[in-house]
Amino acid sequence: MTDLPSIDDCYRNRDFAALAFTHAPVGLVVTENRVIRDCNNTFAAMFRYERGELRDRLFDFLYPSEEEFVNIRSRGDKVLSQSLPYWDERVMRRNGGDLFWVRVRGHTFTPETPLMRAVWSFADLSETRPYQPLTRREREVFSLLGEGKTSKEIALSLEMSYRTVEVHRAKLLKKFGVSNTAGLFQSLGAIGGDHVINASRMTAG
């Protein structure tokens, strides 16, 4: 692509920031009000687009549904507004419609309005967590369980009753033939200890 910086030019001009952004082995995205202002090669390849196809587009087309795009909007607001590192795991959509799990980390440049200007990293979890056919609510409940939230906290986050959360949790356990949440995560791919620690920190405050 002609708009990519030349590797030789980057070294010659010591423009290592551009080099690192473009060729980082993790997906990187700069956003403004949830619009993709730019992304790197890895992010574009992960979602099976060309970089030019992604620039200046609202992020919604990379989510399984408009509802999930809307519902996840305020998930990290509290953490980002305190200038703390935020991350979660969610299902997203590739070009062509395939759904897959990703780990998302975020940093905001505007803590007073966290989504105004931010930078995000995306890691493809497909090899360790193959996508399973779940309903939107099941994906949301599973993702929040992965953040260390209790059923009561999930009920508050998703604005549903505690009983409904427990029903979704029971359906997840039944679908994967396991007896508890730990077994559920093992069947879908392990979640790293650091993630659980960070999640507990986030909910403690």
Side-chain angles (χ1 to χ4, degrees):
M1 295 177 61
T2 57
D3 62 344
L4 295 182
S6 158
I7 293 175
D8 288 340
D9 286 344
C10 285
Y11 272 90
R12 186 179 305 110
N13 300 325
R14 300 186 66 81
D15 190 3
F16 300 127
L19 188 69
F21 178 80
T22 302
H23 299 284
V26 64
L28 298 176
V29 189
V30 177
T31 60
E32 185 174 21
N33 289 323
R34 307 186 83 186
V35 172
I36 300 168
R37 291 309 185 196
D38 201 1
C39 65
N40 69 351
N41 293 346
T42 303
F43 181 86
M46 184 187 306
F47 285 89
R48 299 175 185 162
Y49 287 93
E50 297 293 331
R51 283 178 71 182
E53 296 179 283
L54 296 169
R55 291 190 182 112
D56 298 324
R57 293 186 65 179
L58 190 64
F59 236 109
D60 59 346
F61 71 105
L62 298 180
Y63 280 81
S65 68
E66 183 67 24
E67 288 177 300
E68 288 179 75
F69 172 70
V70 171
N71 288 344
I72 207 166
R73 184 187 187 284
S74 60
R75 198 153 156 193
D77 279 6
K78 181 179 179 181
V79 176
L80 291 169
S81 66
Q82 298 172 19
S83 297
L84 296 173
Y86 170 78
W87 64 315
D88 67 39
E89 292 172 351
R90 63 186 71 168
V91 171
M92 301 199 74
R93 180 188 298 276
R94 302 188 205 270
N95 189 4
D98 293 343
L99 301 181
F100 69 115
W101 281 97
V102 296
R103 180 174 293 133
V104 180
R105 300 174 187 267
H107 170 78
T108 181
F109 302 112
T110 52
E112 64 283 358
T113 50
L115 298 181
M116 177 70 74
R117 290 179 175 174
V119 61
W120 307 87
S121 72
F122 286 73
D124 189 341
L125 301 181
S126 298
E127 290 188 8
T128 56
R129 184 178 301 168
Y131 173 75
Q132 302 287 347
L134 306 175
T135 67
R136 174 177 65 85
R137 281 305 197 189
E138 287 169 347
R139 289 196 293 270
E140 290 173 341
V141 169
F142 171 78
S143 185
L144 291 170
L145 284 170
E147 292 181 28
K149 292 187 182 295
T150 65
S151 292
K152 289 183 178 179
E153 289 169 332
I154 293 171
L156 287 173
S157 294
L158 299 180
E159 298 182 346
M160 61 173 62
S161 70
Y162 169 82
R163 173 61 182 164
T164 302
V165 173
E166 285 293 285
V167 168
H168 286 305
R169 180 178 175 276
K171 287 181 178 179
L172 286 167
L173 298 180
K174 184 175 181 180
K175 280 188 176 184
F176 295 99
V178 294
S179 58
N180 54 43
T181 303
L184 177 65
F185 290 139
Q186 287 176 356
S187 71
L188 294 176
I191 290 180
D194 286 345
H195 180 83
V196 176
I197 292 171
N198 285 346
S200 65
R201 273 192 200 135
M202 287 193 288
T203 57

